[in-house]
C-alpha cells in the first residue's frame, strides 16, 4: 500500500489547522479508508485533545524518531473509528527535536501502513513547518477571510510552490466563513480570497459555535450529523477522495424588497 | 545530611560515591569505613569511586587508592568532576571519567493489549496498616540496589574555608537539565506550579508544592506527592517499584503510571476543573492502579 501524505498548514496561527486536521481525519476515516493523523506541533500539542485521546497518549512522535518505542506503540487508535490513528507530538520538547529527514522517513513508514497520512503543521514558516512539509506530497492550506490570514496563506503557498518537486498539489480551505458578514460587505467573500490567492478551492467551512463545544468534548464535528461545519468537512473529505461535490452555497444574497415578500410567504424558497 | 551513596547495577558494577562529603577528611573516613565494613562484598565485582567535585592533589589521590589497597580493591574507574582530581588519579595509574557512571534505569511500560484501563476509584478509606507496610524497608528498585546510606553530621571545624558548604543535588532533572546531587533516594522538593510541557524527574521521592497542570510530566523512582492539584501525567516507581504511591490534594490526572502499570482518566468531557476531589492516593492493588480517598479527619 502506498498512501497519500497530505500536510495541513496555514502560516498564521489560530485559523483552524488542528480543527481541520481532526475533522478531515474523522471524515476521511468515516468513508472507510485508513487514516493516520500526525501532530507535528511539538511542544504545543493539541490534536490529541481535539480527538479526545489525550488520556491514551503514552509514547509520541519524538519517542519514535529517537527509537525509544516502535511506531505501532506510539499510534493511538481513535475511540470510535478503528481505521483512524493519531501519532501525537511530544509536549515536553520543541521543534528542534526532529529533523526534516527524520520526518521524511517517518512519513514513508506511515504511507506503507495507511491510505492517508494527514500531517498537522505548526504555525509559522520555521523548522516546524519545514519538518511538517518534508514528507508530504500534497498540501491543504487553511485560511480565514481576513487580510492577515490571507497574506500568510499567500506566503505559505509561495513556499509550497518552491517545493514543487515534492508537493504535487495544494488546495485551499476557507475556514470560519460568515455569510451574513460577507453579505454586508464586512468580510471578504470566497471570490475575493480566490482572486488574491488564485488557488484551487477544496472547501468552505462556515463559522460555527459547535466547533468550540466539540473541541471541549474531544469529538470532531464531522463525526456528528446535522452540524453545518461538519457537513463541510465531510464534503472536503469526499473531494480529497476524488468525488465531485459542489461547494455548499453559503452566501446570503442581498435581499431585495421583492424577495423579502416571496420568502415571507414561502420561507423555503431562497432567492 | 547523607554523605555517601552506594549504587550497584549488575552490568555496571558498584559505585561508591563520596561526592556528597564536603571535605577530603570526611570522604576518606567514609570510603575506608564502607570498604572495611563489607570487604568480602567487593571481591569479583567492578568497583567505581565517585568523588564528586572534591579537589585532590596527587598525594591525596594516592591516599585514596591506599585505602582501597588495604582491602584489596583497586577501583576500575574513578569519577570526578574536577580536572585537577582526575589528573591526580591518572598519575597514580587509575582510569578516570568525568561523567556520573550510574544512571536511572530505562523506563519500560507494559503496554496493555487493547485499551489502557481506567484508574479505578476505590471508595474505601485509606488503610493505615497498608501504608505502614510500604514504609518498612528501602525497596530494591529494579536493578538499582541501595546497600547502605550513612548519615553523619558535619563538624563545622571540618569545613574548609571558601568551600561550598551546601550539598548540591545530582542527577535529578528539571526540564531535562540535570540538577546536581540525587544519588540517594532523597526527597526533591519543587515549590512551583508545573505548566504544560515542563517535566521533573527524580531518583528518590518527589514532592511538588504547587499544581501539576495538564501537559506537565513528573517522574520519580519513589513516591510522588503533590500538595496541590495533579492534572498532568505522574509516573511513580520508575524502574519497577510497584509499592510506590501517588498522592495529591486534588487528583485529576490525565494518566497515572506506577512501576510498569498504567491507568488513564475516564473519557468524560472536562471543562470545569474548579471542583476538587479532596486528597486521594493512587497505588497498585492486585496488579491494578486503584485510587483511594484519604481520610480528612
Amino acid at each position: 500500500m502506498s498512501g497519500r501524505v497530505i500536510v495541513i498548514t496555514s502560516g498564521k496561527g489560530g485559523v483552524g489547522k488542528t480543527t481541520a486536521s481532526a475533522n478531515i481525519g474523522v471524515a476521511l476515516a468515516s468513508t472507510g479508508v485508513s487514516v493516520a493523523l500526525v501532530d507535528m506541533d511539538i511542544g504545543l500539542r493539541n490534536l490529541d485533545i481535539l480527538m479526545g485521546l489525550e488520556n491514551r497518549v503514552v509514547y509520541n512522535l519524538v519517542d519514535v524518531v529517537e527509537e525509544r518505542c516502535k511506531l505501532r506503540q506510539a499510534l493511538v487508535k481513535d475511540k470510535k473509528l478503528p481505521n483512524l490513528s493519531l501519532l501525537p507530538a511530544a509536549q515536553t520538547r520543541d521543534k528542534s527535536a526532529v529533523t526534516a529527514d527524520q520526518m521524511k522517513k517517518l512519513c514513508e513508514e506511515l504511507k506503507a501502513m495507511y491510505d492517508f497520512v494527514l500531517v498537522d503543521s505548526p504555525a509559522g514558516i520555521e523548522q516546524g513547518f519545514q519538518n511538517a512539509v518534508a514528507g508530504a506530497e500534497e498540501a491543504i492550506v487553511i485560511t480565514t477571510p481576513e487580510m492577515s490570514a490571507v497574506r500568510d496563506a499567500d506566503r505559505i503557498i509561495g513556499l509550497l510552490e518552491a517545493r514543487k518537486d515534492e508537493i504535487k498539489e495544494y488546495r485551499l480551505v476557507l475556514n470560519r466563513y460568515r455569510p451574513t458578514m460577507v453579505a454586508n460587505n464586512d468580510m471578504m467573500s470566497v471570490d475575493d480570497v480566490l482572486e488574491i490567492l488564485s488557488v484551487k478551492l477544496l472547501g468552505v467551512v462556515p463559522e460555527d459555535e459547535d466547533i468550540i463545544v466539540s473541541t471541549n468534548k474531544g469529538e470532531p464535528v464531522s463525526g456528528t450529523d446535522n452540524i453545518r461545519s461538519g457537513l463541510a468537512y465531510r464534503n472536503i473529505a469526499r473531494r480529497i477522495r476524488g468525488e465531485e461535490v459542489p461547494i455548499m452555497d453559503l452566501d446570503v444574497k442581498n435581499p431585495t424588497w421583492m424577495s423579502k415578500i416571496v420568502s415571507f410567504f414561502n420561507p423555503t424558497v431562497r432567492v | 545530611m547523607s554523605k555517601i551513596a552506594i549504587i550497584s547495577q549488575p552490568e555496571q558494577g558498584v559505585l561508591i560515591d563520596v561526592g556528597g562529603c564536603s571535605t577530603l577528611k570526611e570522604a576518606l573516613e567514609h570510603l575506608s569505613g564502607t570498604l572495611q565494613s563489607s570487604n568480602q562484598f567487593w571481591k569479583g565485582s567492578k568497583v567505581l569511586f565517585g568523588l564528586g567535585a572534591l579537589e585532590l592533589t596527587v598525594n591525596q589521590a594516592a591516599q585514596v587508592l591506599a585505602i582501597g589497597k588495604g582491602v584489596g580493591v583497586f577501583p576500575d574507574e574513578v569519577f570526578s568532576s574536577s580536572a585537577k582530581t582526575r589528573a591526580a588519579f591518572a598519575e597514580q595509574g587509575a582510569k578516570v571519567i568525568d561523567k556520573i557512571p550510574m544512571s536511572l534505569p530505562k523506563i519500560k511500560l507494559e503496554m496493555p493489549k487493547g485499551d489502557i484501563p481506567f484508574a479505578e476509584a476505590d471508595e474505601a478509606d485509606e488503610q493505615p496498616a497498608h501504608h505502614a507496610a510500604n514504609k518498612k524497608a528501602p525497596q530494591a528498585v529494579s536493578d538499582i540496589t541501595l546497600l547502605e546510606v550513612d548519615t553523619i553530621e558535619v563538624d563545622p571545624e571540618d569545613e574548609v574555608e571558601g568551600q561550598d558548604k551546601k550539598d548540591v543535588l545530582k542527577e535529578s532533572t528539571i526540564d531535562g537539565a540535570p540538577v546536581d546531587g540525587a544519588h540517594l533516594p532523597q526527597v526533591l522538593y519543587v515549590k512551583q506550579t508545573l505548566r504544560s510541557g515542563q517535566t521533573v524527574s527524580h531518583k528518590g521521592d518527589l514532592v511538588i508544592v504547587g499544581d501539576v497542570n495538564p501537559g506537565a510530566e513528573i517522574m520519580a523512582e519513589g513516591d510522588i506527592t503533590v500538595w496541590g492539584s495533579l492534572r498532568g501525567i505522574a509516573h511513580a516507581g520508575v524502574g519497577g517499584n510497584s509499592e510506590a504511591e501517588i498522592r495529591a490534594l486534588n487528583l485529576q490526572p490525565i494518566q497515572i503510571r506506577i512501576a510498569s502499570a498504567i491507568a488513564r482518566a475516564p473519557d468524560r468531557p472536562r471543562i470545569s476543573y474548579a471542583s476538587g476531589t479532596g486528597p486521594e492516593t493512587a497505588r497498585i492493588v492486585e496488579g491494578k492502579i486503584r485510587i483511594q480517598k484519604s481520610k480528612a479527619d
Side-chain angles (χ1 to χ4, degrees):
Chain A
M1 186 197 293
S2 183
R4 289 161 63 184
V5 183
I6 307 174
V7 62
I8 295 167
T9 185
S10 72
K12 189 169 155 49
V15 297
K17 280 180 299 299
T18 305
T19 309
S21 302
N23 279 293
I24 296 172
V26 167
L28 272 173
S30 305
T31 66
V33 291
S34 60
V35 180
L37 280 167
V38 182
D39 191 350
M40 268 305 295
D41 205 347
I42 300 169
L44 290 167
R45 85 170 185 218
N46 283 160
L47 193 49
D48 55 324
I49 301 174
L50 266 62
M51 298 293 296
L53 298 173
E54 187 184 17
N55 56 2
R56 287 166 169 79
V57 174
V58 176
Y59 295 109
N60 56 55
L61 187 145
V62 177
D63 290 326
V64 174
V65 167
E66 292 179 354
E67 293 179 353
R68 269 192 297 276
C69 72
K70 295 202 180 76
L71 178 55
R72 277 182 194 284
Q73 286 178 300
L75 286 161
V76 185
K77 261 208 174 77
D78 185 63
K79 283 179 283 184
K80 290 178 185 159
L81 298 159
N83 50 340
L84 176 64
S85 294
L86 168 73
L87 181 58
Q91 178 64 359
T92 60
R93 304 291 293 273
D94 59 45
K95 310 284 187 268
S96 61
V98 295
T99 65
D101 283 342
Q102 286 169 327
M103 270 311 291
K104 231 180 235 176
K105 195 174 151 247
L106 186 67
C107 287
E108 286 297 321
E109 269 181 74
L110 285 166
K111 230 164 84 172
M113 296 159 66
Y114 293 90
D115 298 320
F116 286 90
V117 180
L118 300 182
V119 183
D120 180 23
S121 150
I125 53 172
E126 295 84 12
Q127 195 184 347
F129 167 76
Q130 301 293 346
N131 288 344
V133 295
E137 296 139 0
E138 293 171 53
I140 296 173
V141 179
I142 313 280
T143 190
T144 57
E146 289 163 82
M147 274 303 174
S148 53
V150 172
R151 190 69 50 87
D152 292 357
D154 196 40
R155 176 93 171 93
I156 285 293
I157 292 167
L159 293 173
L160 293 171
E161 280 171 345
R163 308 174 68 100
K164 60 176 176 292
D165 291 339
E166 290 113 50
I167 308 280
K168 304 291 179 210
E169 185 168 30
Y170 52 89
R171 284 182 282 184
L172 186 80
V173 168
L174 189 53
N175 198 14
R176 309 187 67 172
Y177 194 72
R178 295 167 75 162
T180 45
M181 284 186 74
V182 174
N184 293 332
N185 273 331
D186 287 332
M187 185 177 259
M188 296 164 90
S189 70
V190 178
D191 292 337
D192 293 333
V193 175
L194 292 181
E195 174 66 31
I196 297 172
L197 297 179
S198 55
V199 63
K200 267 189 253 171
L201 185 66
L202 182 63
V204 180
V205 182
E207 172 91 315
D208 193 348
E209 280 184 5
D210 286 323
I211 294 276
I212 297 168
V213 179
S214 87
T215 302
N216 290 336
K217 271 203 222 164
E219 290 172 8
V221 286
S222 58
T224 317
D225 293 331
N226 308 326
I227 294 181
R228 254 160 97 76
S229 52
L231 176 63
Y233 280 119
R234 286 199 295 278
N235 286 346
I236 287 169
R238 286 166 64 192
R239 287 182 204 115
I240 291 172
R241 292 203 63 189
E243 271 184 64
E244 291 282 336
V245 186
I247 300 281
M248 262 197 287
D249 183 19
L250 296 159
D251 285 336
V252 180
K253 305 286 186 294
N254 260 340
T256 59
W257 68 270
M258 187 63 200
S259 68
K260 275 183 191 163
I261 293 170
V262 172
S263 58
F264 179 80
F265 288 110
N266 189 354
T268 56
V269 173
R270 247 181 111 192
V271 185
Chain B
M1 273 188 291
S2 306
K3 292 290 168 195
I4 170 167
I6 304 162
I7 297 174
S8 151
Q9 292 193 6
E11 282 156 32
Q12 290 169 277
V14 183
L15 168 72
I16 306 169
D17 190 356
V18 291
C21 299
S22 43
T23 66
L24 175 67
K25 189 182 157 205
E26 205 184 355
L28 290 176
E29 269 171 26
H30 285 306
L31 193 61
S32 81
T34 308
L35 283 166
Q36 274 158 13
S37 66
S38 44
N39 57 359
Q40 286 303 307
F41 179 82
W42 313 113
K43 295 231 166 83
S45 53
K46 186 181 169 188
V47 178
L48 300 90
F49 288 175
L51 292 162
L54 288 172
E55 296 227 328
L56 273 68
T57 62
V58 178
N59 279 344
Q60 287 167 329
Q63 230 178 315
V64 170
L65 294 173
I67 291 172
K69 218 172 181 184
V71 290
V73 171
F74 188 82
D76 291 84
E77 282 171 348
V78 177
F79 156 72
S80 170
S81 59
S82 149
K84 187 184 162 195
T85 308
R86 285 201 300 275
F89 275 98
E91 198 162 306
Q92 294 291 325
K95 191 184 166 203
V96 291
I97 45 172
D98 59 356
K99 273 194 201 122
I100 298 217
M102 300 280 170
S103 53
L104 268 172
K106 274 196 180 153
I107 299 164
K108 266 188 199 153
L109 286 168
E110 281 167 24
M111 290 297 287
K113 302 211 175 84
D115 207 355
I116 301 167
F118 297 134
E120 282 179 61
D122 207 332
E123 288 309 314
D125 286 331
E126 217 175 302
Q127 289 160 19
H130 182 91
H131 209 141
N134 280 342
K135 296 287 162 221
K136 256 188 214 156
Q139 279 286 324
V141 179
S142 106
D143 51 350
I144 289 195
T145 323
L146 188 85
L147 300 171
E148 195 179 347
V149 176
D150 215 346
T151 309
I152 284 177
E153 288 300 315
V154 186
D155 186 346
E157 285 180 20
D158 283 349
E159 296 288 346
V160 177
E161 260 189 31
Q163 203 162 358
D164 199 357
K165 284 184 188 172
K166 67 171 192 257
D167 267 9
V168 267
L169 294 167
K170 280 180 204 148
E171 274 196 65
S172 301
T173 68
I174 293 186
D175 263 351
V179 182
D180 277 353
H183 261 334
L184 310 171
Q186 51 197 353
V187 176
L188 175 68
Y189 261 83
V190 178
K191 285 189 182 174
Q192 73 173 79
T193 288
L194 298 172
R195 300 186 180 278
S196 184
Q198 294 182 316
T199 60
V200 173
S201 67
H202 178 57
K203 283 175 82 76
D205 297 322
L206 178 59
V207 177
I208 308 286
V209 183
D211 294 343
V212 179
N213 283 355
E217 279 184 43
I218 52 176
M219 277 174 271
E221 279 191 2
D223 291 357
I224 290 176
T225 305
V226 178
W227 189 259
S229 296
L230 171 53
R231 296 173 183 136
I233 294 175
H235 189 172
V238 171
N241 180 6
S242 55
E243 303 281 307
E245 296 176 347
I246 298 171
R247 60 187 81 80
L249 291 184
N250 187 14
L251 198 64
Q252 302 174 320
I254 294 168
Q255 264 179 24
I256 288 182
R257 304 169 188 172
I258 298 175
S260 61
I262 177 165
R264 64 177 169 86
D267 284 324
R268 63 170 180 268
R270 164 142 281 161
I271 293 171
S272 167
Y273 277 98
S275 60
T277 58
E280 289 178 317
T281 303
R283 60 167 69 89
I284 295 184
V285 179
E286 290 160 5
K288 272 187 185 164
I289 296 178
R290 311 278 294 190
I291 293 169
Q292 292 174 317
K293 281 222 184 312
S294 306
K295 236 179 184 165
D297 50 341

